Amino acid sequence: MSLSDKVKNYIDQHYSEAISLEEIAKAVKANKYYLAHVFKNETGFSPLHYVSRRRLGEAQNLLINTDMSITQIAATVGYNNSNYFQNIFRRYMGMTPGSYRKKWKS
């Protein structure tokens, strides 16, 4: 398994927790600078950008498939601050979580 695969697996299992580059590096037994370099070369994203994308992907799923509040979803995917979650969501998705839910929920 490649270093990037190990990093992805770790992030996929821990994305809802507070996560840092140092923790990822320790978990996969690699230097954090080397890890960040290799991961970005192979995926096009920094490890922490991948964490954000992973969290937002799960948030999209929860917005469409549950009736959880936006605050509950933010906490579930690893954001302790609902306003911060909404700002990040808007930056990546181009709309608020509430608008996303209205647009895509059947």
Side-chain angles (χ1 to χ4, degrees), residues 34-75:
Y34 176 74
L35 175 156
H37 176 74
V38 169
F39 191 84
K40 183 153 187 167
N41 278 352
E42 291 185 13
T43 66
F45 305 113
S46 72
L48 295 181
H49 188 164
Y50 183 82
V51 171
S52 293
R53 293 175 61 88
R54 179 67 176 85
R55 287 176 172 172
L56 292 174
E58 186 61 26
Q60 288 174 286
N61 178 46
L62 293 172
L63 285 165
I64 294 170
N65 296 309
T66 73
D67 290 323
M68 293 170 70
S69 72
I70 290 168
T71 301
Q72 288 173 311
I73 291 171

mmCIF file of all heavy atoms in Angstrom, residues 34-75:
data_model
loop_
_atom_site.group_PDB
_atom_site.id
_atom_site.type_symbol
_atom_site.label_atom_id
_atom_site.label_comp_id
_atom_site.label_asym_id
_atom_site.label_seq_id
_atom_site.Cartn_x
_atom_site.Cartn_y
_atom_site.Cartn_z
ATOM 1 N N TYR A 34 7.560 15.244 4.162
ATOM 2 C CA TYR A 34 7.641 14.258 3.081
ATOM 3 C C TYR A 34 6.238 13.754 2.734
ATOM 4 O O TYR A 34 5.859 13.686 1.566
ATOM 5 C CB TYR A 34 8.550 13.104 3.498
ATOM 6 C CG TYR A 34 8.619 11.993 2.476
ATOM 7 C CD1 TYR A 34 9.327 12.160 1.293
ATOM 8 C CD2 TYR A 34 7.959 10.783 2.689
ATOM 9 C CE1 TYR A 34 9.380 11.155 0.348
ATOM 10 C CE2 TYR A 34 8.008 9.768 1.753
ATOM 11 C CZ TYR A 34 8.718 9.954 0.582
ATOM 12 O OH TYR A 34 8.761 8.961 -0.353
ATOM 13 N N LEU A 35 5.471 13.425 3.771
ATOM 14 C CA LEU A 35 4.104 12.943 3.578
ATOM 15 C C LEU A 35 3.283 13.961 2.780
ATOM 16 O O LEU A 35 2.602 13.613 1.813
ATOM 17 C CB LEU A 35 3.481 12.706 4.954
ATOM 18 C CG LEU A 35 2.028 12.306 5.068
ATOM 19 C CD1 LEU A 35 1.814 11.582 6.379
ATOM 20 C CD2 LEU A 35 1.100 13.488 4.991
ATOM 21 N N ALA A 36 3.346 15.231 3.195
ATOM 22 C CA ALA A 36 2.570 16.282 2.519
ATOM 23 C C ALA A 36 2.988 16.417 1.056
ATOM 24 O O ALA A 36 2.136 16.558 0.165
ATOM 25 C CB ALA A 36 2.728 17.615 3.243
ATOM 26 N N HIS A 37 4.286 16.341 0.811
ATOM 27 C CA HIS A 37 4.807 16.460 -0.557
ATOM 28 C C HIS A 37 4.329 15.299 -1.436
ATOM 29 O O HIS A 37 3.800 15.513 -2.531
ATOM 30 C CB HIS A 37 6.339 16.509 -0.513
ATOM 31 C CG HIS A 37 6.977 16.541 -1.848
ATOM 32 N ND1 HIS A 37 6.981 17.669 -2.651
ATOM 33 C CD2 HIS A 37 7.629 15.574 -2.543
ATOM 34 C CE1 HIS A 37 7.613 17.384 -3.784
ATOM 35 N NE2 HIS A 37 8.009 16.124 -3.737
ATOM 36 N N VAL A 38 4.499 14.091 -0.952
ATOM 37 C CA VAL A 38 4.111 12.902 -1.721
ATOM 38 C C VAL A 38 2.596 12.890 -1.943
ATOM 39 O O VAL A 38 2.126 12.638 -3.058
ATOM 40 C CB VAL A 38 4.576 11.609 -1.005
ATOM 41 C CG1 VAL A 38 3.954 10.372 -1.627
ATOM 42 C CG2 VAL A 38 6.092 11.516 -1.027
ATOM 43 N N PHE A 39 1.843 13.177 -0.909
ATOM 44 C CA PHE A 39 0.383 13.136 -1.008
ATOM 45 C C PHE A 39 -0.112 14.148 -2.038
ATOM 46 O O PHE A 39 -0.950 13.830 -2.879
ATOM 47 C CB PHE A 39 -0.248 13.407 0.364
ATOM 48 C CG PHE A 39 -1.721 13.120 0.412
ATOM 49 C CD1 PHE A 39 -2.182 11.832 0.636
ATOM 50 C CD2 PHE A 39 -2.657 14.132 0.227
ATOM 51 C CE1 PHE A 39 -3.538 11.554 0.682
ATOM 52 C CE2 PHE A 39 -4.015 13.869 0.268
ATOM 53 C CZ PHE A 39 -4.463 12.573 0.499
ATOM 54 N N LYS A 40 0.425 15.365 -1.984
ATOM 55 C CA LYS A 40 -0.015 16.393 -2.935
ATOM 56 C C LYS A 40 0.370 16.009 -4.364
ATOM 57 O O LYS A 40 -0.415 16.206 -5.294
ATOM 58 C CB LYS A 40 0.555 17.754 -2.574
ATOM 59 C CG LYS A 40 0.042 18.829 -3.522
ATOM 60 C CD LYS A 40 0.012 20.180 -2.902
ATOM 61 C CE LYS A 40 -0.680 21.116 -3.869
ATOM 62 N NZ LYS A 40 -1.044 22.362 -3.270
ATOM 63 N N ASN A 41 1.557 15.461 -4.556
ATOM 64 C CA ASN A 41 1.968 15.033 -5.894
ATOM 65 C C ASN A 41 1.055 13.948 -6.452
ATOM 66 O O ASN A 41 0.753 13.938 -7.638
ATOM 67 C CB ASN A 41 3.407 14.530 -5.885
ATOM 68 C CG ASN A 41 4.412 15.653 -5.965
ATOM 69 O OD1 ASN A 41 4.065 16.810 -6.180
ATOM 70 N ND2 ASN A 41 5.673 15.321 -5.768
ATOM 71 N N GLU A 42 0.621 13.038 -5.587
ATOM 72 C CA GLU A 42 -0.183 11.910 -6.050
ATOM 73 C C GLU A 42 -1.673 12.217 -6.155
ATOM 74 O O GLU A 42 -2.366 11.615 -6.968
ATOM 75 C CB GLU A 42 0.034 10.699 -5.151
ATOM 76 C CG GLU A 42 1.425 10.113 -5.302
ATOM 77 C CD GLU A 42 1.640 8.833 -4.520
ATOM 78 O OE1 GLU A 42 0.655 8.239 -4.044
ATOM 79 O OE2 GLU A 42 2.804 8.431 -4.381
ATOM 80 N N THR A 43 -2.178 13.137 -5.327
ATOM 81 C CA THR A 43 -3.622 13.385 -5.313
ATOM 82 C C THR A 43 -4.021 14.760 -5.837
ATOM 83 O O THR A 43 -5.171 14.972 -6.195
ATOM 84 C CB THR A 43 -4.189 13.265 -3.886
ATOM 85 O OG1 THR A 43 -3.645 14.322 -3.083
ATOM 86 C CG2 THR A 43 -3.881 11.913 -3.264
ATOM 87 N N GLY A 44 -3.078 15.706 -5.819
ATOM 88 C CA GLY A 44 -3.397 17.077 -6.201
ATOM 89 C C GLY A 44 -3.897 17.916 -5.029
ATOM 90 O O GLY A 44 -4.198 19.092 -5.199
ATOM 91 N N PHE A 45 -4.003 17.320 -3.854
ATOM 92 C CA PHE A 45 -4.493 18.024 -2.664
ATOM 93 C C PHE A 45 -3.507 17.853 -1.525
ATOM 94 O O PHE A 45 -2.859 16.820 -1.414
ATOM 95 C CB PHE A 45 -5.828 17.429 -2.175
ATOM 96 C CG PHE A 45 -6.904 17.393 -3.195
ATOM 97 C CD1 PHE A 45 -7.360 16.173 -3.676
ATOM 98 C CD2 PHE A 45 -7.477 18.551 -3.670
ATOM 99 C CE1 PHE A 45 -8.369 16.121 -4.626
ATOM 100 C CE2 PHE A 45 -8.486 18.503 -4.613
ATOM 101 C CZ PHE A 45 -8.931 17.293 -5.092
ATOM 102 N N SER A 46 -3.467 18.838 -0.643
ATOM 103 C CA SER A 46 -2.718 18.648 0.594
ATOM 104 C C SER A 46 -3.521 17.682 1.467
ATOM 105 O O SER A 46 -4.737 17.538 1.280
ATOM 106 C CB SER A 46 -2.548 19.979 1.322
ATOM 107 O OG SER A 46 -3.785 20.398 1.878
ATOM 108 N N PRO A 47 -2.875 17.036 2.433
ATOM 109 C CA PRO A 47 -3.636 16.142 3.314
ATOM 110 C C PRO A 47 -4.799 16.844 4.021
ATOM 111 O O PRO A 47 -5.890 16.283 4.135
ATOM 112 C CB PRO A 47 -2.583 15.649 4.309
ATOM 113 C CG PRO A 47 -1.297 15.728 3.557
ATOM 114 C CD PRO A 47 -1.427 16.949 2.693
ATOM 115 N N LEU A 48 -4.590 18.066 4.482
ATOM 116 C CA LEU A 48 -5.664 18.754 5.203
ATOM 117 C C LEU A 48 -6.776 19.218 4.260
ATOM 118 O O LEU A 48 -7.939 19.292 4.658
ATOM 119 C CB LEU A 48 -5.102 19.903 6.034
ATOM 120 C CG LEU A 48 -4.174 19.433 7.167
ATOM 121 C CD1 LEU A 48 -3.674 20.619 7.972
ATOM 122 C CD2 LEU A 48 -4.853 18.413 8.070
ATOM 123 N N HIS A 49 -6.434 19.494 3.008
ATOM 124 C CA HIS A 49 -7.465 19.795 2.007
ATOM 125 C C HIS A 49 -8.311 18.534 1.774
ATOM 126 O O HIS A 49 -9.532 18.605 1.651
ATOM 127 C CB HIS A 49 -6.801 20.262 0.718
ATOM 128 C CG HIS A 49 -7.732 20.778 -0.316
ATOM 129 N ND1 HIS A 49 -7.312 21.524 -1.379
ATOM 130 C CD2 HIS A 49 -9.072 20.655 -0.480
ATOM 131 C CE1 HIS A 49 -8.348 21.818 -2.153
ATOM 132 N NE2 HIS A 49 -9.427 21.298 -1.616
ATOM 133 N N TYR A 50 -7.653 17.391 1.741
ATOM 134 C CA TYR A 50 -8.371 16.129 1.592
ATOM 135 C C TYR A 50 -9.308 15.900 2.781
ATOM 136 O O TYR A 50 -10.435 15.429 2.601
ATOM 137 C CB TYR A 50 -7.381 14.959 1.441
ATOM 138 C CG TYR A 50 -8.052 13.633 1.210
ATOM 139 C CD1 TYR A 50 -8.481 13.269 -0.067
ATOM 140 C CD2 TYR A 50 -8.284 12.747 2.260
ATOM 141 C CE1 TYR A 50 -9.118 12.044 -0.279
ATOM 142 C CE2 TYR A 50 -8.916 11.528 2.046
ATOM 143 C CZ TYR A 50 -9.329 11.188 0.778
ATOM 144 O OH TYR A 50 -9.969 9.985 0.570
ATOM 145 N N VAL A 51 -8.856 16.247 3.985
ATOM 146 C CA VAL A 51 -9.723 16.129 5.172
ATOM 147 C C VAL A 51 -10.980 16.968 4.961
ATOM 148 O O VAL A 51 -12.102 16.485 5.175
ATOM 149 C CB VAL A 51 -8.992 16.579 6.461
ATOM 150 C CG1 VAL A 51 -9.963 16.667 7.630
ATOM 151 C CG2 VAL A 51 -7.846 15.636 6.799
ATOM 152 N N SER A 52 -10.814 18.216 4.527
ATOM 153 C CA SER A 52 -11.975 19.091 4.294
ATOM 154 C C SER A 52 -12.907 18.500 3.247
ATOM 155 O O SER A 52 -14.128 18.487 3.429
ATOM 156 C CB SER A 52 -11.526 20.484 3.847
ATOM 157 O OG SER A 52 -10.858 21.137 4.881
ATOM 158 N N ARG A 53 -12.341 18.025 2.151
ATOM 159 C CA ARG A 53 -13.168 17.438 1.091
ATOM 160 C C ARG A 53 -13.903 16.199 1.584
ATOM 161 O O ARG A 53 -15.057 15.974 1.251
ATOM 162 C CB ARG A 53 -12.315 17.117 -0.143
ATOM 163 C CG ARG A 53 -11.779 18.366 -0.836
ATOM 164 C CD ARG A 53 -10.843 18.026 -1.979
ATOM 165 N NE ARG A 53 -11.495 17.255 -3.002
ATOM 166 C CZ ARG A 53 -12.163 17.769 -4.042
ATOM 167 N NH1 ARG A 53 -12.250 19.071 -4.177
ATOM 168 N NH2 ARG A 53 -12.725 16.984 -4.937
ATOM 169 N N ARG A 54 -13.235 15.392 2.396
ATOM 170 C CA ARG A 54 -13.861 14.180 2.939
ATOM 171 C C ARG A 54 -15.017 14.550 3.859
ATOM 172 O O ARG A 54 -16.096 13.957 3.800
ATOM 173 C CB ARG A 54 -12.796 13.361 3.695
ATOM 174 C CG ARG A 54 -13.317 12.084 4.318
ATOM 175 C CD ARG A 54 -13.735 11.079 3.243
ATOM 176 N NE ARG A 54 -14.134 9.831 3.830
ATOM 177 C CZ ARG A 54 -15.368 9.561 4.290
ATOM 178 N NH1 ARG A 54 -16.318 10.460 4.225
ATOM 179 N NH2 ARG A 54 -15.647 8.378 4.795
ATOM 180 N N ARG A 55 -14.795 15.536 4.724
ATOM 181 C CA ARG A 55 -15.845 15.990 5.626
ATOM 182 C C ARG A 55 -17.030 16.562 4.849
ATOM 183 O O ARG A 55 -18.181 16.270 5.174
ATOM 184 C CB ARG A 55 -15.297 17.065 6.570
ATOM 185 C CG ARG A 55 -14.380 16.539 7.629
ATOM 186 C CD ARG A 55 -13.792 17.651 8.456
ATOM 187 N NE ARG A 55 -13.058 17.122 9.587
ATOM 188 C CZ ARG A 55 -12.318 17.865 10.392
ATOM 189 N NH1 ARG A 55 -12.224 19.171 10.214
ATOM 190 N NH2 ARG A 55 -11.684 17.304 11.400
ATOM 191 N N LEU A 56 -16.745 17.357 3.846
ATOM 192 C CA LEU A 56 -17.832 17.975 3.082
ATOM 193 C C LEU A 56 -18.597 16.941 2.263
ATOM 194 O O LEU A 56 -19.809 17.061 2.089
ATOM 195 C CB LEU A 56 -17.288 19.097 2.199
ATOM 196 C CG LEU A 56 -16.771 20.297 2.987
ATOM 197 C CD1 LEU A 56 -16.112 21.307 2.050
ATOM 198 C CD2 LEU A 56 -17.872 20.959 3.794
ATOM 199 N N GLY A 57 -17.911 15.928 1.774
ATOM 200 C CA GLY A 57 -18.604 14.859 1.055
ATOM 201 C C GLY A 57 -19.593 14.146 1.962
ATOM 202 O O GLY A 57 -20.728 13.853 1.572
ATOM 203 N N GLU A 58 -19.165 13.859 3.179
ATOM 204 C CA GLU A 58 -20.063 13.217 4.137
ATOM 205 C C GLU A 58 -21.204 14.162 4.510
ATOM 206 O O GLU A 58 -22.348 13.740 4.656
ATOM 207 C CB GLU A 58 -19.292 12.781 5.382
ATOM 208 C CG GLU A 58 -20.114 11.985 6.365
ATOM 209 C CD GLU A 58 -20.661 10.678 5.811
ATOM 210 O OE1 GLU A 58 -20.065 10.103 4.869
ATOM 211 O OE2 GLU A 58 -21.701 10.212 6.319
ATOM 212 N N ALA A 59 -20.891 15.454 4.651
ATOM 213 C CA ALA A 59 -21.932 16.439 4.966
ATOM 214 C C ALA A 59 -22.982 16.491 3.848
ATOM 215 O O ALA A 59 -24.187 16.551 4.127
ATOM 216 C CB ALA A 59 -21.318 17.821 5.176
ATOM 217 N N GLN A 60 -22.547 16.436 2.598
ATOM 218 C CA GLN A 60 -23.493 16.427 1.478
ATOM 219 C C GLN A 60 -24.438 15.234 1.603
ATOM 220 O O GLN A 60 -25.642 15.370 1.412
ATOM 221 C CB GLN A 60 -22.736 16.340 0.146
ATOM 222 C CG GLN A 60 -22.020 17.603 -0.226
ATOM 223 C CD GLN A 60 -21.183 17.399 -1.473
ATOM 224 O OE1 GLN A 60 -20.139 16.753 -1.433
ATOM 225 N NE2 GLN A 60 -21.639 17.943 -2.573
ATOM 226 N N ASN A 61 -23.884 14.071 1.889
ATOM 227 C CA ASN A 61 -24.684 12.864 2.052
ATOM 228 C C ASN A 61 -25.707 13.038 3.177
ATOM 229 O O ASN A 61 -26.886 12.711 3.014
ATOM 230 C CB ASN A 61 -23.758 11.679 2.335
ATOM 231 C CG ASN A 61 -24.501 10.396 2.554
ATOM 232 O OD1 ASN A 61 -25.421 10.051 1.805
ATOM 233 N ND2 ASN A 61 -24.129 9.679 3.585
ATOM 234 N N LEU A 62 -25.262 13.562 4.313
ATOM 235 C CA LEU A 62 -26.161 13.742 5.446
ATOM 236 C C LEU A 62 -27.234 14.792 5.172
ATOM 237 O O LEU A 62 -28.379 14.643 5.605
ATOM 238 C CB LEU A 62 -25.362 14.111 6.705
ATOM 239 C CG LEU A 62 -24.437 13.017 7.242
ATOM 240 C CD1 LEU A 62 -23.554 13.559 8.354
ATOM 241 C CD2 LEU A 62 -25.234 11.809 7.715
ATOM 242 N N LEU A 63 -26.885 15.835 4.445
ATOM 243 C CA LEU A 63 -27.869 16.873 4.103
ATOM 244 C C LEU A 63 -28.996 16.303 3.254
ATOM 245 O O LEU A 63 -30.163 16.660 3.437
ATOM 246 C CB LEU A 63 -27.196 18.042 3.366
ATOM 247 C CG LEU A 63 -26.357 18.974 4.228
ATOM 248 C CD1 LEU A 63 -25.456 19.835 3.352
ATOM 249 C CD2 LEU A 63 -27.258 19.845 5.103
ATOM 250 N N ILE A 64 -28.656 15.438 2.342
ATOM 251 C CA ILE A 64 -29.651 14.878 1.422
ATOM 252 C C ILE A 64 -30.432 13.728 2.057
ATOM 253 O O ILE A 64 -31.631 13.595 1.853
ATOM 254 C CB ILE A 64 -28.960 14.396 0.118
ATOM 255 C CG1 ILE A 64 -28.395 15.590 -0.642
ATOM 256 C CG2 ILE A 64 -29.939 13.618 -0.755
ATOM 257 C CD1 ILE A 64 -27.501 15.202 -1.805
ATOM 258 N N ASN A 65 -29.747 12.903 2.842
ATOM 259 C CA ASN A 65 -30.349 11.651 3.290
ATOM 260 C C ASN A 65 -30.824 11.615 4.733
ATOM 261 O O ASN A 65 -31.295 10.568 5.187
ATOM 262 C CB ASN A 65 -29.361 10.501 3.055
ATOM 263 C CG ASN A 65 -29.093 10.316 1.573
ATOM 264 O OD1 ASN A 65 -30.017 10.206 0.783
ATOM 265 N ND2 ASN A 65 -27.834 10.312 1.203
ATOM 266 N N THR A 66 -30.687 12.722 5.460
ATOM 267 C CA THR A 66 -31.168 12.748 6.846
ATOM 268 C C THR A 66 -31.923 14.050 7.098
ATOM 269 O O THR A 66 -31.903 14.957 6.271
ATOM 270 C CB THR A 66 -30.008 12.673 7.871
ATOM 271 O OG1 THR A 66 -29.313 13.927 7.893
ATOM 272 C CG2 THR A 66 -29.053 11.534 7.565
ATOM 273 N N ASP A 67 -32.558 14.093 8.246
ATOM 274 C CA ASP A 67 -33.206 15.327 8.686
ATOM 275 C C ASP A 67 -32.411 15.980 9.813
ATOM 276 O O ASP A 67 -32.945 16.818 10.548
ATOM 277 C CB ASP A 67 -34.642 15.033 9.151
ATOM 278 C CG ASP A 67 -35.545 14.665 7.984
ATOM 279 O OD1 ASP A 67 -35.382 15.260 6.902
ATOM 280 O OD2 ASP A 67 -36.401 13.775 8.156
ATOM 281 N N MET A 68 -31.148 15.603 9.953
ATOM 282 C CA MET A 68 -30.296 16.209 10.975
ATOM 283 C C MET A 68 -30.183 17.706 10.725
ATOM 284 O O MET A 68 -30.174 18.150 9.570
ATOM 285 C CB MET A 68 -28.890 15.599 10.935
ATOM 286 C CG MET A 68 -28.818 14.144 11.343
ATOM 287 S SD MET A 68 -27.189 13.400 11.005
ATOM 288 C CE MET A 68 -26.183 14.235 12.224
ATOM 289 N N SER A 69 -30.059 18.470 11.802
ATOM 290 C CA SER A 69 -29.868 19.910 11.642
ATOM 291 C C SER A 69 -28.463 20.169 11.090
ATOM 292 O O SER A 69 -27.576 19.311 11.180
ATOM 293 C CB SER A 69 -30.030 20.626 12.984
ATOM 294 O OG SER A 69 -28.916 20.359 13.816
ATOM 295 N N ILE A 70 -28.276 21.348 10.553
ATOM 296 C CA ILE A 70 -26.964 21.709 10.018
ATOM 297 C C ILE A 70 -25.919 21.707 11.133
ATOM 298 O O ILE A 70 -24.789 21.269 10.940
ATOM 299 C CB ILE A 70 -27.052 23.048 9.267
ATOM 300 C CG1 ILE A 70 -27.858 22.820 7.979
ATOM 301 C CG2 ILE A 70 -25.667 23.601 8.955
ATOM 302 C CD1 ILE A 70 -28.299 24.052 7.251
ATOM 303 N N THR A 71 -26.302 22.140 12.320
ATOM 304 C CA THR A 71 -25.385 22.111 13.463
ATOM 305 C C THR A 71 -24.999 20.672 13.813
ATOM 306 O O THR A 71 -23.829 20.391 14.081
ATOM 307 C CB THR A 71 -26.024 22.816 14.679
ATOM 308 O OG1 THR A 71 -26.335 24.165 14.311
ATOM 309 C CG2 THR A 71 -25.097 22.808 15.876
ATOM 310 N N GLN A 72 -25.965 19.757 13.802
ATOM 311 C CA GLN A 72 -25.671 18.345 14.077
ATOM 312 C C GLN A 72 -24.744 17.766 13.006
ATOM 313 O O GLN A 72 -23.819 17.015 13.321
ATOM 314 C CB GLN A 72 -26.964 17.525 14.114
ATOM 315 C CG GLN A 72 -27.825 17.759 15.326
ATOM 316 C CD GLN A 72 -29.163 17.020 15.191
ATOM 317 O OE1 GLN A 72 -29.842 17.121 14.169
ATOM 318 N NE2 GLN A 72 -29.521 16.302 16.241
ATOM 319 N N ILE A 73 -25.015 18.101 11.757
ATOM 320 C CA ILE A 73 -24.174 17.607 10.661
ATOM 321 C C ILE A 73 -22.760 18.138 10.811
ATOM 322 O O ILE A 73 -21.791 17.390 10.675
ATOM 323 C CB ILE A 73 -24.785 17.972 9.285
ATOM 324 C CG1 ILE A 73 -26.064 17.159 9.064
ATOM 325 C CG2 ILE A 73 -23.777 17.733 8.157
ATOM 326 C CD1 ILE A 73 -26.865 17.571 7.850
ATOM 327 N N ALA A 74 -22.629 19.419 11.110
ATOM 328 C CA ALA A 74 -21.300 20.016 11.299
ATOM 329 C C ALA A 74 -20.524 19.240 12.363
ATOM 330 O O ALA A 74 -19.364 18.871 12.153
ATOM 331 C CB ALA A 74 -21.427 21.486 11.684
ATOM 332 N N ALA A 75 -21.154 18.975 13.490
ATOM 333 C CA ALA A 75 -20.486 18.245 14.579
ATOM 334 C C ALA A 75 -20.163 16.810 14.172
ATOM 335 O O ALA A 75 -19.082 16.296 14.480
ATOM 336 C CB ALA A 75 -21.365 18.265 15.826
#
